[in-house]
Amino acid sequence: MDFEYADALNQAIRLLSLRHRARAAALLAPLGLHPGQEALLLELDRTGPMIQAQLADALGCEPPSVTLMTRKLESAGHIRRAPAPSDKRASVVELTDTGRALAARVKELWCALAEETLRGVPAATAAELPALLRTLTANVDTRPARDA
């Protein structure tokens, strides 16, 4: 691969990532959310209550980041934390009624952001993008492999 192509590809991915995050932040701000918090809400909405460590793994981020997000979302009344029945050192996180309502609003924003992002992209190409992007992500993932 020559440098010109590599540079164009890497720059395009970098700019997409930056612009997408900025656009997401702008859409989430009126809901009182910061980027990353929506992913936590959506994960809990998708899976139900889970231990913070499992949530960190599911989100692909470090446990201290999840701890900070859960504290903020808990103080806003969107989630609740309770000691895990099997391990009092671990916390189980779950959505509150307001958290479920907020997750529903986030889903609407996420659909709008996806439509905005894919504007002008042929339907066939758009259909292939999730799998392609998962492959690209796996190719650059430096996290240790999880035990299955």
Side-chain angles (χ1 to χ4, degrees):
M1 176 177 306
D2 71 1
F3 173 76
E4 301 303 322
Y5 177 78
D7 188 45
L9 177 66
N10 289 322
Q11 288 292 343
I13 293 169
R14 185 181 72 79
L15 287 174
L16 172 60
S17 177
L18 289 170
R19 303 267 163 73
H20 189 272
R21 184 173 172 89
R23 185 66 182 126
L27 292 171
L28 293 168
L31 301 180
L33 294 174
H34 297 283
Q37 292 175 331
E38 85 291 346
L40 190 150
L41 291 171
L42 293 173
E43 185 65 26
L44 290 174
D45 186 66
R46 188 174 17 260
T47 63
M50 60 193 324
I51 293 173
Q52 276 188 212
Q54 294 169 323
L55 192 52
D57 192 44
L59 297 175
C61 62
E62 296 298 319
S65 297
V66 170
T67 299
L68 182 62
M69 283 191 282
T70 56
R71 283 184 185 149
K72 290 180 180 181
L73 291 169
E74 184 178 38
S75 69
H78 302 308
I79 63 165
R80 71 176 63 86
R81 293 184 296 168
S86 61
D87 182 355
K88 298 298 181 202
R89 297 169 298 165
S91 293
V92 174
V93 183
E94 66 179 322
L95 292 174
T96 62
D97 289 341
T98 62
R100 275 187 283 288
L102 184 58
R105 293 179 65 196
V106 169
K107 287 179 182 180
E108 292 171 7
L109 289 178
W110 243 214
C111 288
L113 179 58
E115 288 172 4
E116 184 178 318
T117 303
L118 292 174
R119 190 177 6 209
V121 175
T125 302
E128 295 175 3
L129 276 176
L132 175 60
L133 293 171
R134 282 191 299 274
T135 298
L136 296 177
T137 300
N139 288 346
V140 297
D141 193 351
T142 59
R143 295 176 301 153
R146 292 185 280 169
D147 294 330

